[in-house]
Amino acid sequence: MESLVIEGNHTLRGRVRVSGSKNVSLPLIAASLLTDEPVIIEDVPCLLDVCIMKEIVSEIGMGVGTEKHNLYLDASTVNRFTASHSLINQIRASILLLGPLLARFGRAKISAPGGCSIGSRPLDLHWKGLAAMGVKFTQRNGWVEARSNRLIGNHIYLDCPSVGATENIMMAATLAKGETIIENAALEPEVVELSGFLTAMGASISGAGTSIIRIKGVSSLKGARYRVIPDRIEAGTYMIVAAMVGGGVIIENVVLDHLKPLTAKLEEAGVQVVESKPGEVTVTPASFLQAVDIETMPYPGFPTDLQPPFSSLMTQAHGLGTIRETVFENRFRHVEGLTRMGADIRLNGQSLSITGNSNLWGNRVQATDLRGGAALVLAALAAEGKTEILEAHHLDRGYEDLELKINNLGGNVYRKRSRQEDYAQASASYA
Ligand code: UD1
């Protein structure tokens, strides 16, 4: 396993460019299965989750080519309706194959998808939504086999505004007979982008970005070329980095409109966030960082994915900040690492009370999930001495060129392999 070693206490300055959105790229790759014409997706980040998604669709028979950040996909050759469990169970987004495969081929087989271990993450809304459109499911040996004739549009009410379920149903509905209405749909920008991509492919969708999405099924979809929007969670993470250890950081390729809840909380804490020019944000730390309270919510509320990094920021604020997590039930796994680094945090059910002004010091800590790992990186940047973050692969799932980007800002981060890996590589070179 690789770890990240971070020397703390550097003031970061300069420019950092945000990569294309992971959570847009993944559903767009899945949606490309809906057509037999070529698709080009631009500004796809080079991340572990994206690589795994590409491997999954290749196994299904899709042609996949990459040139820099452009992805060339060709689903005219798809000849399988499932992929290896060892790939499916590495990412949550593998569930998004169901909708497109069922819509185009009437069959799909999937095992339990993976992803960050941040709660039970049920899939009932995916099953219910697709079943309402005529899909029959059978379960055997940990696999779910789904079959349907041509899907039939229906009126689907989601018990909660799940991003993944909204996306899966929306993709399935594009080729269904008749109209599908998704009520209590997720409002996230990623859903709006998927709708934009599907519309570019010839789908008939209205209402994306509101809680009622209407999709009129069409008989086929065509190829498209689409550019992925900036990753709002990566952007938000660098905004928090800049607030915590920055001396004037300019973040490029940001849609600030997608980050209103974060901007509001940073400003409430005394941080200055200025859109210096369109798509470019300058973040100046507070002279007196005030503790604030946050509560995570579906968009446009405060994003759960920025809750762990924000809790690191609160360890440096003056006063007591409370953080309530309402989206996932196990999203405080970074707290142990922060506490080991000197943070004063009390965990009480789904809430954290963080007493700020802590002197953090370097330690050996473990990343347990993607955004929890980011929280530890932030704390390490602010800490005295060196921190080693074990299991750095979690960060590779969502932060492109993390070390490079931080080092370009004046940080000191490097990657370290475990002794076993060094030994394995040395042995391989003698083989
Ligand atoms: C997506 C994002 C993830 C983000 C999350 C919430 C991707 C690849 N991942 O995950 O980074 O943290 O949105 O913004 O886009 N739920 C159910 N039943 C279901 C589906 C979901 O109860 O069938 C619940 C979940 O347990 C959770 C809530 O709904 O409590 C939100 O989950 P959802 O929006 O589906 O998240 P993901 O799509 O998995």
Side-chain angles (χ1 to χ4, degrees):
M1 287 290 167
E2 290 184 337
S3 54
L4 277 188
V5 180
I6 301 180
E7 194 181 272
N9 237 344
H10 291 271
T11 302
L12 304 190
R13 288 191 182 85
R15 292 177 167 268
V16 58
R17 184 187 181 277
V18 172
S19 301
S21 163
K22 164 176 88 76
N23 288 348
V24 171
S25 301
L26 295 171
L28 260 52
I29 296 172
S32 304
L33 287 164
L34 286 162
T35 176
D36 61 2
E37 293 185 17
V39 164
I40 303 173
I41 311 175
E42 297 174 9
D43 212 18
V44 176
C46 181
L47 294 169
L48 192 56
D49 277 20
V50 172
C51 290
I52 294 165
M53 194 67 167
K54 288 196 295 189
E55 275 189 64
I56 292 177
V57 291
S58 303
E59 269 202 14
I60 291 176
M62 196 187 230
V64 180
T66 306
E67 193 206 359
K68 295 192 180 149
H69 283 91
N70 285 355
L71 196 55
Y72 299 83
L73 301 169
D74 175 2
S76 64
T77 46
V78 168
N79 54 5
R80 292 185 68 211
F81 310 102
T82 188
S84 317
H85 173 65
S86 57
L87 288 173
I88 293 173
N89 79 349
Q90 287 188 56
I91 55 169
R92 173 78 176 173
S94 46
I95 191 69
L96 298 178
L97 301 169
L98 268 188
L101 283 176
L102 284 163
R104 185 154 158 230
F105 303 103
R107 53 193 285 211
K109 193 172 149 189
I110 194 146
S111 58
C116 284
S117 165
I118 51 181
S120 62
R121 305 189 86 176
L123 294 169
D124 55 316
L125 303 175
H126 297 251
W127 309 135
K128 277 192 221 166
L130 294 170
M133 299 174 78
V135 179
K136 299 266 178 283
F137 296 101
T138 43
Q139 272 192 57
R140 202 174 322 134
N141 301 329
W143 288 83
V144 174
E145 199 162 346
R147 292 220 176 220
S148 63
N149 296 320
R150 186 172 178 200
L151 297 173
I152 299 171
N154 206 337
H155 197 132
I156 297 163
Y157 179 86
L158 298 180
D159 298 344
C160 69
S162 154
V163 176
T166 303
E167 293 174 340
N168 228 343
I169 297 166
M170 197 159 83
M171 290 187 281
T174 55
L175 294 178
K177 188 164 181 271
E179 187 179 44
T180 301
I181 300 172
I182 311 175
E183 261 199 82
N184 199 22
L187 310 180
E188 268 71 358
E190 291 76 13
V191 171
V192 176
E193 290 307 302
L194 175 61
S195 163
F197 178 61
L198 293 168
T199 304
M201 293 170 82
S204 170
I205 305 178
S206 61
T210 74
S211 59
I212 302 181
I213 302 179
R214 291 169 193 272
I215 308 117
K216 285 197 184 111
V218 295
S219 55
S220 66
L221 293 176
K222 54 186 169 60
R225 187 179 184 118
Y226 202 84
R227 190 171 180 81
V228 170
I229 55 166
D231 192 305
R232 66 187 168 105
I233 305 302
E234 192 199 10
T237 305
Y238 282 109
M239 285 165 71
I240 301 171
V241 167
M244 200 164 166
V245 293
V249 173
I250 299 169
I251 306 162
E252 300 170 352
N253 199 32
V254 182
V255 181
L256 200 53
D257 208 38
H258 294 162
L259 285 150
K260 279 184 189 157
L262 174 67
T263 305
K265 283 295 163 186
L266 287 174
E267 287 177 346
E268 190 183 327
V271 178
Q272 206 184 74
V273 179
V274 176
E275 186 158 30
S276 11
K277 59 180 189 188
E280 195 174 287
V281 176
T282 304
V283 178
T284 311
S287 47
F288 183 89
L289 185 70
Q290 180 64 53
V292 294
D293 301 328
I294 64 163
E295 181 164 329
T296 65
M297 278 180 203
Y299 192 85
F302 192 96
T304 171
D305 287 354
L306 287 176
Q307 174 268 110
F310 201 86
S311 49
S312 294
L313 177 68
M314 284 300 99
T315 67
Q316 301 305 293
H318 292 83
L320 179 75
T322 310
I323 294 190
R324 217 168 93 74
E325 172 61 56
T326 72
V327 180
F328 291 110
E329 66 272 22
N330 189 18
R331 207 153 201 188
F332 288 138
R333 297 179 72 204
H334 55 289
V335 168
E336 187 185 337
L338 293 184
T339 308
R340 282 167 68 95
M341 294 173 74
D344 182 354
I345 306 182
R346 250 160 249 277
L347 172 59
N348 196 349
Q350 286 301 99
S351 298
L352 297 182
S353 303
I354 306 178
T355 306
N357 237 343
S358 292
N359 289 323
L360 301 178
W361 59 83
N363 206 332
R364 205 158 188 249
V365 291
Q366 187 168 331
T368 54
D369 57 84
L370 168 56
R371 308 304 171 186
L376 299 179
V377 170
L378 263 92
L381 288 169
E384 200 66 54
K386 272 189 185 172
T387 298
E388 181 174 358
I389 303 177
L390 306 174
E391 310 230 8
H393 62 94
H394 287 293
L395 288 150
D396 299 335
R397 299 186 44 205
Y399 293 97
E400 188 178 45
D401 293 334
L402 179 69
E403 298 101 288
L404 185 70
K405 289 184 182 183
I406 292 178
N407 290 341
N408 282 345
L409 292 171
N412 184 0
V413 184
Y414 61 91
R415 206 165 267 255
K416 190 174 134 191
R417 280 196 305 238
S418 68
R419 290 236 171 88
Q420 289 99 310
E421 272 169 327
D422 285 340
Y423 178 74
Q425 202 181 53
S427 317
S429 67
Y430 282 107

